[in-house]
Amino acid sequence: MAKSLIDQSEIRVVITPTDSGDVQAERDYLREYVFPHLSHLGEERDIIINFLWTAPLFVQDVHKFLVSYTVVDNPHKYAFILNTSGNANKERHFVDGVATYEYNSKEELGRLFEKGLSRILDKLFPSTSAIDLVKNLRRVARIYQEMGQLQDALDMQSRVFKVLDKEYGEKNTDTIETLYTCGWLNYKLGNYEQALKQLKKSYENAKDVYGDTDQRTTDQLGIIRMVEAAAKHHKK
């Protein structure tokens, strides 16, 4: 099954100098001042951004940098041209069908580079609140589970747990229930050791939040006993 955007959760930024001249100053500036901020923007959307440099193409006087933002094998290409006349076109235009910006300095290159990637992030991975993200991930998880794709469902629920744990902590009721769901899915997949680890952690938190005698707590204890029995039987 082909990976969707939400499954991939990665943007590969491939940067290719197309001029044999010295671009070290631009490289250093991007690496030190631009990449960290863009990585942070990706983290806010639960997206990994990988920056990759390739060897120069040695095409004189065409582009200083050709950048390909690749999402799920679908490249979005931008070109950045060093302008030496002092009359750089500040707006995006197109050269041979490639979206192009002109820059006068490494600082301006950094701003334009960030603008290009921000367009991709905003279009394909719009910023959202933690609550909206959780809702969307759970919706996808339910679809996967209904289709019998339990590993994909587990991957989505695991991402939900990470968001909830980060935003609200492990004693939050939604966090507890999501960890329980992850444990249950691991059990269904035959991952007994991981299932028990997650179910027991969920149970301990449930005791703190709901109390020892609450049905939500005792139900989890019953599931743990069932999984322990299944794990023991599996080892025979």
Side-chain angles (χ1 to χ4, degrees), residues 47 146 207:
I47 302 299
E146 290 169 0
K207 286 198 299 181

Side-chain angles (χ1 to χ4, degrees), residues 62-227:
V62 179
H63 303 311
K64 199 71 172 181
F65 293 101
L66 180 65
V67 180
S68 177
Y69 305 120
T70 301
V71 185
V72 195
D73 299 325
N74 181 21
H76 302 259
K77 293 185 177 180
Y78 287 81
F80 299 90
I81 300 176
L82 175 63
N83 184 286
T84 57
S85 68
N87 297 313
N89 185 340
K90 303 300 183 181
E91 298 299 324
R92 182 178 64 161
H93 56 287
F94 291 86
V95 176
D96 297 329
V98 178
T100 301
Y101 294 97
E102 298 176 16
Y103 69 95
N104 290 315
S105 65
K106 63 181 184 295
E107 292 82 7
E108 188 171 27
L109 169 65
R111 291 193 296 271
L112 294 172
F113 188 98
E114 184 170 328
K115 184 176 181 180
L117 182 53
S118 295
R119 285 177 183 268
I120 301 301
L121 283 171
D122 290 340
K123 180 179 179 181
L124 300 179
F125 303 97
S127 181
T128 185
S129 68
I131 293 176
D132 288 338
L133 179 58
V134 164
K135 288 180 179 178
N136 291 334
L137 290 173
R138 280 178 169 169
R139 187 177 301 115
V140 175
R142 284 195 297 270
I143 293 172
Y144 278 141
Q145 193 162 344
E146 290 169 0
M147 294 172 63
Q149 296 173 216
L150 299 186
Q151 183 60 57
D152 290 323
L154 174 60
D155 291 343
M156 292 298 102
Q157 292 289 3
S158 297
R159 291 181 63 188
V160 171
F161 172 75
K162 286 177 61 177
V163 173
L164 291 172
D165 190 40
K166 178 181 178 181
E167 294 292 329
Y168 307 113
E170 64 179 16
K171 303 297 184 180
N172 174 268
T173 56
D174 280 334
T175 309
I176 292 170
E177 294 303 320
T178 301
L179 184 59
Y180 167 81
T181 300
C182 289
W184 174 258
L185 287 169
N186 267 311
Y187 160 65
K188 298 296 287 185
L189 287 164
N191 305 325
Y192 298 114
E193 183 176 348
Q194 182 66 11
L196 284 171
K197 180 180 178 181
Q198 291 175 327
L199 290 170
K200 288 180 179 179
K201 183 63 175 178
S202 175
Y203 170 68
E204 291 301 320
N205 290 333
K207 286 198 299 181
D208 291 340
V209 173
Y210 304 131
D212 291 357
T213 59
D214 188 278
Q215 185 175 349
R216 288 166 291 186
T217 304
T218 56
D219 284 349
Q220 288 202 28
L221 181 59
I223 294 298
I224 290 173
R225 297 291 178 254
M226 182 189 72
V227 175

